[in-house]
Amino acid sequence: SIASADMDLNQLEAFLTAQTKKQGGITPDQAAVIAKFWKNHRIKIHESLINQSRWDNVLKNMNWRVDLKAQSRHIDQINTPVAIVEMELGKNGQ
């Protein structure tokens, strides 16, 4: 719950206080250990969750351009912009 909500210190304190008051919950000593661990490793845990939730493919490169028609059978199609996008996908970590 702490990691998925990416709790700040105030939220963490309120959550752990509620857990200590819950029947069958955690002890105040356990809450202190959890709080210390979260304060020291919050960024690493958050980055790990983000990496686990990504798809396998990532965007490696992207090229784009806008072309204009210079000739056409119909006059209303001249100077009509056309966007061309090329995306290169690759496996995450490769």
Side-chain angles (χ1 to χ4, degrees):
S1 296
I2 296 168
S4 64
D6 193 27
M7 294 183 183
D8 63 22
L9 297 180
N10 292 331
Q11 293 169 324
L12 176 66
E13 184 179 333
F15 177 77
L16 292 176
T17 300
Q19 294 300 312
T20 58
K21 293 180 180 181
K22 189 189 288 186
Q23 185 176 0
I26 60 176
T27 66
D29 290 338
Q30 290 171 326
V33 169
I34 292 170
K36 184 176 180 182
F37 181 83
W38 180 247
K39 289 174 190 174
N40 291 333
H41 298 288
R42 176 182 181 193
I43 294 171
K44 291 178 189 175
I45 294 168
H46 184 70
E47 288 174 358
S48 176
L49 288 175
I50 288 172
N51 288 333
Q52 290 173 22
S53 66
R54 287 188 182 146
W55 293 353
D56 286 340
N57 291 328
V58 294
L59 182 64
K60 294 288 187 185
N61 191 18
M62 185 175 109
N63 296 311
W64 64 276
R65 71 175 195 250
V66 176
D67 291 345
L68 295 173
K69 275 191 175 181
Q71 265 185 321
S72 180
R73 284 187 185 176
H74 305 288
I75 193 83
D76 61 335
Q77 292 180 350
I78 294 178
N79 292 331
T80 302
V82 176
I84 298 172
V85 179
E86 177 185 8
M87 291 185 272
E88 180 184 350
L89 300 176
K91 293 286 183 190
N92 195 9
Q94 295 179 351

